[in-house]
Amino acid sequence: MVRKPRQLLLAFFGEYVCDRYFQPLRTSVLLTVLEGAGVAASAVRTNLDRMVHSGLLERRRLGREIAFELTPHGIEVLREASRRVNGPAPFEPKGAGWTLVTFSVPEHMRTLRHRLRAALTWSGFALVRDGLWIAPGEVDLAAALDAIIPDLPPGSVNAFAASELAGFPMDEAVRAAWDVEGIRRAHEEFAARWESHGEAEEPYPLSARVLLVADWLALLRADPRLPRQYMDSDWPSDRSFELFQRRHREFAFPAVREFANLVG
């Protein structure tokens, strides 16, 4: 599992800044936190620039130092991620049946098409046939595409609710659309990384909690919440959820204390 600096920055802002800390964060604070997570200063600065360019962050000057704060768009993105991070049943589909989506975005709007595909993937969709995307349960597509809909051409996205028909079981379709064994490996990698990782051995609890949340977000993105009847009996999602909650609690107080010292 490769952790990208952007993922770690998003995890940090989502965990400690969004709806919690309302002042611009000095660059030195961000460099300290990500240095504890093993990221070089040059990579942090490059990704902060990219997040400003993409509309997630704004620059502010505090004396001689540059600081960063979330834009309204960045806040909305992180609120949605936070709901997933702290959800009570992150690997269970919402509602029964399936949600189907087709879309047509012109070739010259490649960036918009990429954003649309990324939003669908985050919401659990996979490509089941050419041009046909499917996700388990009843996906709130309007909420999932809220930031993209204003930029989409009228009528470019169509969505439907569907249910399984007798005589046409979904087992094969599920295995064709999703790499089920790859999803299992993602859970196993998460467990291998964090089962032996304890608070007592962690000199940088703030960085550790950011790493944990970034890894959790990556796992949530990898697992589309497939119904249990299509999974093996020893499916590892419950173990991953328990492990995340336990580590998240263990790092909570020392990480908040470290954050307060940095910004104070």
Side-chain angles (χ1 to χ4, degrees):
M1 184 187 299
V2 178
R3 293 146 162 169
K4 297 180 179 179
R6 176 187 171 90
Q7 295 170 330
L8 296 173
L9 284 166
L10 288 172
F12 173 72
F13 275 97
E15 193 76 356
Y16 292 99
V17 181
C18 185
D19 295 326
R20 295 176 179 85
Y21 185 77
F22 299 98
Q23 298 183 33
L25 276 174
R26 292 173 287 117
T27 304
S28 58
V29 172
L30 299 168
L31 293 175
T32 298
V33 174
L34 266 73
E35 182 182 19
V39 182
S42 58
V44 177
R45 295 182 190 278
T46 297
N47 280 272
L48 287 170
D49 289 342
R50 290 172 179 170
M51 291 170 73
V52 170
H53 181 71
S54 66
L56 294 170
L57 296 177
E58 289 182 351
R59 285 190 184 86
R60 293 284 183 266
R61 180 168 288 280
L62 296 180
R64 296 183 177 181
E65 192 168 4
I66 298 297
F68 295 86
E69 64 183 357
L70 290 167
T71 63
H73 170 58
I75 290 171
E76 288 304 312
V77 168
L78 292 178
R79 281 176 178 166
E80 165 60 21
S82 181
R83 286 192 286 270
R84 289 286 301 275
V85 167
N86 299 301
F91 302 116
E92 298 295 331
K94 295 182 178 179
W98 304 85
T99 302
L100 304 178
V101 168
T102 64
F103 65 85
S104 178
V105 177
E107 179 67 22
H108 69 275
M109 305 177 77
R110 291 183 181 180
T111 300
L112 183 61
R113 188 188 306 167
H114 174 75
R115 288 172 59 201
L116 178 55
R117 287 173 174 165
L120 290 175
T121 301
W122 170 246
S123 298
F125 283 88
L127 194 62
V128 68
R129 289 284 190 277
D130 290 344
L132 180 62
W133 293 68
I134 184 172
E138 302 166 5
V139 177
D140 185 350
L141 199 64
L145 303 183
D146 181 61
I148 304 173
I149 287 175
D151 300 327
L152 289 170
S156 56
V157 176
N158 295 291
F160 313 88
S163 57
E164 185 174 336
L165 293 177
F168 296 89
M170 285 291 296
D171 300 68
E172 291 186 8
V174 166
R175 299 277 170 173
W178 288 280
D179 179 5
V180 175
E181 290 309 309
I183 299 169
R184 174 188 284 278
R185 285 194 299 273
H187 280 280
E188 291 172 346
E189 289 174 6
F190 180 83
R193 177 165 284 178
W194 289 102
E195 276 180 340
S196 61
H197 196 119
E199 175 191 336
E201 65 188 69
E202 180 51 62
Y204 305 108
L206 178 56
S207 300
R209 202 167 197 238
V210 168
L211 287 166
L212 174 66
V213 172
D215 288 354
W216 185 242
L217 282 166
L219 183 58
L220 293 174
R221 189 174 290 108
D223 189 312
R225 304 180 176 186
L226 292 169
R228 290 297 179 94
Q229 64 261 38
Y230 303 109
M231 304 292 98
D232 301 328
S233 58
D234 62 343
W235 191 246
S237 60
D238 289 342
R239 184 180 67 172
S240 296
F241 184 43
E242 185 279 330
L243 176 59
F244 170 74
Q245 288 190 308
R246 175 158 44 91
R247 292 291 181 239
H248 202 238
R249 287 192 302 267
E250 288 174 359
F251 293 135
F253 178 71
V256 168
R257 183 173 54 198
E258 185 181 354
F259 177 78
N261 290 336
L262 282 174
V263 300

